[in-house]
Amino acid sequence: MRLGAWSGLLHWHVWLWAVVVLAAALIAGLVAHAIIFWILARLARKPGRVLEASLNRHARRPSKWLLPVVAMLLALPAAPMTPLVRGGFEHLFSLALIAGGAWCILLAVAVFSDLVAARYRVDVADNLHARR
């Protein structure tokens, strides 16, 4: 019996290998997130580290899903898939990256706001410079 292009879809070990590759990339992205934010949290504990503290506070949530998406997008060529399935995953991951890019723009605005608020404090006695 000849199935043509669909014959690759019937081999369970091919699909299992694709799932293993993408799951390993997902785990690698989550581990990278944990390491990056562990280091960032340690740096943010030091006094005067406004940038690190702001990044730790604002970037933790978006990067928790953005780093695994990037890792899976990079691992996608190693996963044995038909071109149709690979194209669907690439499209899905590209949409997630666009959403992540928009979230990063909002993140940059929040971090910049924290930096300006730390530079020009209005809660001190002599706040004429900050108010100006």
Side-chain angles (χ1 to χ4, degrees), residues 69-119:
V69 165
V70 169
M72 287 190 293
L73 187 60
L74 291 174
L76 201 56
M81 297 180 189
T82 62
L84 181 66
V85 175
R86 183 183 317 272
F89 275 114
E90 286 175 352
H91 187 71
L92 178 70
F93 293 151
S94 297
L95 289 175
L97 284 178
I98 291 170
W103 204 346
C104 286
I105 291 171
L106 294 174
L107 164 79
V109 170
V111 169
F112 180 74
S113 173
D114 287 349
L115 290 173
V116 169
R119 173 78 171 102

Side-chain angles (χ1 to χ4, degrees), residues 25-103:
L26 175 75
I27 292 169
L30 291 173
V31 167
H33 175 270
I35 291 170
I36 290 169
F37 280 92
W38 178 78
I39 292 170
L40 199 57
R42 289 186 53 88
L43 289 174
R45 285 186 208 148
K46 297 178 181 175
R49 299 284 188 137
V50 178
L51 178 63
E52 290 85 354
S54 182
L55 281 173
N56 189 31
R57 183 173 56 252
H58 295 296
R60 184 174 294 273
R61 282 185 45 212
S63 65
K64 184 129 188 181
W65 65 269
L66 194 57
L67 285 174
V69 165
V70 169
M72 287 190 293
L73 187 60
L74 291 174
L76 201 56
M81 297 180 189
T82 62
L84 181 66
V85 175
R86 183 183 317 272
F89 275 114
E90 286 175 352
H91 187 71
L92 178 70
F93 293 151
S94 297
L95 289 175
L97 284 178
I98 291 170
W103 204 346

